[in-house]
């Protein structure tokens, strides 16, 4: 069965196609600086770090202290890890294989 996102659209498809065209970290910085605010990029990076720490069985308090994430953010990321679309798990598994 093919995955169908709740927010799939032509515009979102084009955004993701554009992201898949990025080839280097520098290109990522350039693109995301243009398309997002600094705080948006930092929030995405924080959520990924929270997900890594949750998979490592760190406590909410440790995660909050180390990342500055609120317990609401940590809970939201945890809910996505457990009940979400597996996006975090896919990328974290691939990153751990490197």
């Amino acid at each position: 069965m093919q995955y169908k996102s709740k927010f799939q659209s032509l515009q979102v498809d084009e955004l993701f196609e554009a992201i898949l065209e990025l080839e280097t970290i520098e290109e990522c910085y350039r693109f995301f600086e243009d398309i997002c605010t600094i705080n948006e990029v930092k929030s995405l990076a924080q959520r990924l770090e929270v997900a890594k720490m949750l998979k490592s069985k760190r406590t909410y308090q440790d995660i909050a202290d180390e990342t500055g994430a609120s317990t609401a953010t940590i809970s939201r990321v945890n809910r996505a890890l457990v009940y979400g679309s597996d996006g975090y798990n896919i990328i974290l598994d691939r990153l751990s294989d490197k």
Side-chain angles (χ1 to χ4, degrees):
M1 183 168 104
Q2 187 173 2
Y3 177 73
K4 177 74 172 169
S5 173
K6 297 175 195 103
F7 60 87
Q8 187 170 356
S9 70
L10 279 175
Q11 285 182 323
V12 175
D13 285 354
E14 288 179 356
L15 170 65
F16 293 156
E17 299 256 348
I19 291 169
L20 289 170
E21 290 299 317
L22 298 169
E23 296 179 359
T24 66
I25 296 289
E26 181 181 333
E27 286 181 359
C28 290
Y29 273 103
R30 289 172 179 265
F31 180 71
F32 282 93
E33 279 185 37
D34 285 348
I35 202 165
C36 297
T37 67
I38 292 169
N39 284 338
E40 288 169 334
V41 174
K42 286 183 175 184
S43 290
L44 294 171
Q46 181 187 63
R47 290 179 196 160
L48 183 59
E49 185 62 23
V50 167
K52 286 185 342 192
M53 294 174 80
L54 284 167
K55 283 198 64 135
S56 296
K57 306 294 185 203
R58 302 278 297 275
T59 67
Y60 275 36
Q61 190 61 54
D62 275 351
I63 296 168
D65 290 345
E66 192 167 320
T67 66
S70 68
T71 55
T73 296
I74 298 166
S75 179
R76 189 175 321 118
V77 171
N78 190 55
R79 195 168 37 256
L81 279 169
V82 176
Y83 302 109
S85 303
D86 243 7
Y88 279 120
N89 290 311
I90 290 167
I91 201 64
L92 292 174
D93 289 347
R94 289 183 186 164
L95 289 171
S96 72
D97 289 345
K98 284 188 166 185

